[in-house]
Amino acid sequence: MSTKRVHIVSAVNAANISKSGNTYTIRDVVGAVDDIVMNRRLYPADQLAAGVKSLNGKPAPAGHPKNSKGQHISAANGEALAAAWIGAYCTNARHEGGRTLTDILVNGDMAMATEQGKKLVERLDAAIAGTNADPIHVSTGLNLIEVVANGESHGKKYTSIATNLQYDHLAILLDEVGAGTPEQGVGMFLNSEGGEDAIETIQVNQEPEDRRYEGAIGWLRSLFTNKDISFDQIASGLQLLVPDSCWVREVFPGYAVWVDRDGKNWRQEYHASENGSVAWVGQPVEVLRQVSYEPVTNHQEIDIVKDQIIAALNAAGVNVDGLTEAQLLQAYNSVVAKPHQEALAAANSKVAEFEAAKTAAENSERDALAAELATNSSLTADDFKAMPLARLKELKAKAAPVSVGNSQEQKKPGDEFASYSINSLIDEGKK
């Protein structure tokens, strides 16, 4: 186990800002979401719920406090109070709807006594007036104990678990960029023993998760789904339709899961039309949220179907570099169909050979019969060849056979046909 200093950045909707007298209230500031994985660290629901109490009454300074040496220090430090205090602090900290939430109260008179406080008041007034609706970024400064553990939450792998969360402050970021990049996350915190601890800056994402195309089936579905309607259109449309203080957690194909203010999860079907409009269908059904934990030793994130497709293409000598998923599927279908196409071509070739052999045999038999029948007829062999083979066989069967051997009377060639006429037989067949 090791102690970590973490800054979690989030955004406040301008619509959550109000004013009563000279006191400003920033409502529903999100610290973290249950079982979220950030920087490969799991933040379990029970740990978030246990730690939220330490956020009540903590200062909300202008930025993360630093001393004269540029080291991050606790917001309760006298130097921090002298440099960053702007009359703002956390109140009503709670764990609700699967989220760590708090409100920030700002004393307008105290804020106006400092330059940073004046900037904050101007920004809050602009949000209330509607002249600046951009979100205000905040960042929780907290300490935690990290426990090494492997698992998965909502499709994301983690290698440690955050425990014993203790909040120091909730910084209001006026002059700092909200999104925590690796460069912005570099910093040192001066701990109570006078030593330095590295600071980790991460950004919490409470946007709905797109789970429409997860897994092998999802990947295949993504190849045939209408992409004219974006995920943002679906998610934002559904968010507008949930009750107040509720939020859409996950979007699946055909249904979504949203969370009410009591933390209950509800599954409800939706319909997205081609024009981009979204509507709930039917009534919501309460569901239980399950988080899976599994060993990740020697575990790789492998899409089995896609991996098998690529392996089959490689075995067939197909270069898959640079191919899109649609092109991979098309190439795979071609490889699978090739043996069948070759077998069909071979079968057709055999049939053609048989047909040719049959035709040749029939032609040979026809030519022989035509030559034989033309011997005692006024018709030529070519005339007989023009007849169907079946007809030639009929004429052959009706013709008297030629006698071979000794006889009392010497017959002339052709005498055996003297008693009948080939032409009459032909005419008879035409009737």
Side-chain angles (χ1 to χ4, degrees):
M1 297 187 296
S2 60
T3 301
K4 296 288 184 180
R5 176 74 171 192
V6 179
H7 292 167
I8 301 179
V9 180
S10 61
V12 179
N13 193 316
N16 292 356
I17 300 171
S18 60
K19 182 180 181 181
S20 177
N22 204 29
T23 300
Y24 297 86
T25 302
I26 306 173
R27 302 185 311 277
D28 299 338
V29 178
V30 179
V33 179
D34 285 358
D35 303 313
I36 191 173
V37 176
M38 297 182 288
N39 282 15
R40 299 188 68 83
R41 183 185 300 117
L42 173 69
Y43 289 76
D46 59 343
Q47 294 298 320
L48 293 177
V52 71
K53 299 176 183 178
S54 66
L55 187 54
N56 253 332
K58 292 299 170 64
H64 294 290
K66 297 180 182 179
N67 61 16
S68 58
K69 296 180 181 180
Q71 298 168 311
H72 288 270
I73 56 178
S74 170
N77 184 288
E79 191 172 358
L81 292 173
W85 171 253
I86 54 175
Y89 62 95
C90 298
T91 184
N92 191 29
R94 60 210 184 272
H95 186 261
E96 164 182 296
R99 298 178 293 177
T100 294
L101 299 173
T102 188
D103 300 336
I104 301 175
L105 291 182
V106 181
N107 185 308
D109 292 333
M110 289 185 180
M112 290 299 291
T114 67
E115 289 300 318
Q116 290 296 316
K118 289 179 182 178
K119 289 183 180 180
L120 174 60
V121 168
E122 291 174 358
R123 181 69 181 81
L124 296 177
D125 284 338
I128 294 172
T131 57
N132 188 344
D134 292 336
I136 297 175
H137 287 89
V138 297
S139 178
T140 56
L142 63 89
N143 298 313
L144 57 86
I145 295 178
E146 185 176 49
V147 178
V148 176
N150 295 324
E152 178 179 329
S153 178
H154 300 292
K156 293 183 179 180
K157 308 297 180 182
Y158 62 83
T159 55
S160 65
I161 297 176
T163 66
N164 293 63
L165 280 68
Q166 295 295 317
Y167 290 90
D168 180 77
H169 63 274
L170 179 59
I172 301 175
L173 307 179
L174 295 174
D175 298 325
E176 302 175 40
V177 179
T181 65
E183 290 75 19
Q184 294 160 354
V186 175
M188 301 304 295
F189 173 72
L190 187 65
N191 58 38
S192 58
E193 288 78 25
E196 290 186 336
D197 294 328
I199 295 176
E200 176 184 330
T201 299
I202 54 182
Q203 185 166 11
V204 64
N205 177 23
Q206 64 166 342
E207 296 297 321
E209 291 187 56
D210 186 358
R211 305 191 65 181
R212 296 173 299 164
Y213 307 128
E214 289 185 353
I217 301 300
W219 177 71
L220 291 174
R221 184 187 298 114
S222 70
L223 301 178
F224 305 102
T225 300
N226 179 13
K227 299 296 181 60
D228 293 338
I229 305 175
S230 68
F231 172 72
D232 288 340
Q233 285 179 288
I234 296 175
S236 60
L238 294 178
Q239 184 62 51
L240 293 174
L241 299 174
V242 296
D244 292 340
S245 300
C246 300
W247 56 288
V248 179
R249 166 169 267 159
E250 297 163 307
V251 178
F252 296 85
Y255 72 93
V257 175
W258 54 272
V259 185
D260 64 18
R261 65 177 302 111
D262 296 324
K264 294 181 179 179
N265 295 279
W266 300 87
R267 168 178 169 156
Q268 190 168 2
E269 296 182 357
Y270 69 86
H271 172 72
S273 62
E274 294 182 357
N275 62 9
S277 63
V278 183
W280 290 117
V281 178
Q283 296 298 315
V285 177
E286 186 177 0
V287 293
L288 294 177
R289 185 164 178 252
Q290 296 181 340
V291 180
S292 65
Y293 298 86
E294 61 182 45
V296 296
T297 304
N298 297 325
H299 182 80
Q300 298 178 348
E301 298 179 5
I302 300 176
D303 186 318
I304 298 176
V305 173
K306 185 175 181 180
D307 186 63
Q308 290 178 343
I309 288 176
I310 292 176
L313 292 176
N314 288 333
V318 178
N319 184 7
V320 299
D321 293 340
L323 295 183
T324 64
E325 292 181 343
Q327 290 171 333
L328 284 173
L329 185 61
Q330 183 179 10
Y332 176 75
N333 289 337
S334 297
V335 170
V336 172
K338 186 177 180 180
H340 301 287
Q341 293 172 343
E342 292 177 346
L344 180 60
N348 289 337
S349 177
K350 284 292 185 182
V351 170
E353 290 179 9
F354 292 146
E355 291 291 341
K358 178 182 177 183
T359 301
E362 290 177 347
N363 289 341
S364 177
E365 184 178 5
R366 180 203 62 198
D367 293 346
L369 286 174
E372 181 179 347
L373 294 173
T375 303
N376 300 297
S377 172
S378 61
L379 298 178
T380 66
D382 290 335
D383 293 331
F384 283 107
K385 289 180 182 179
M387 300 179 188
L389 179 60
R391 180 58 179 161
L392 294 179
K393 290 181 177 180
E394 290 178 6
L395 295 177
K396 167 67 175 177
K398 293 181 179 181
V402 177
S403 299
V404 180
N406 295 327
S407 176
Q408 294 291 335
E409 182 180 353
Q410 186 68 33
K411 295 182 179 180
K412 296 180 181 179
D415 285 350
E416 63 271 23
F417 297 107
S419 61
Y420 66 88
S421 170
I422 293 293
N423 293 330
S424 64
L425 292 175
I426 294 172
D427 292 337
E428 179 184 344
K430 292 179 180 181
K431 294 180 180 180

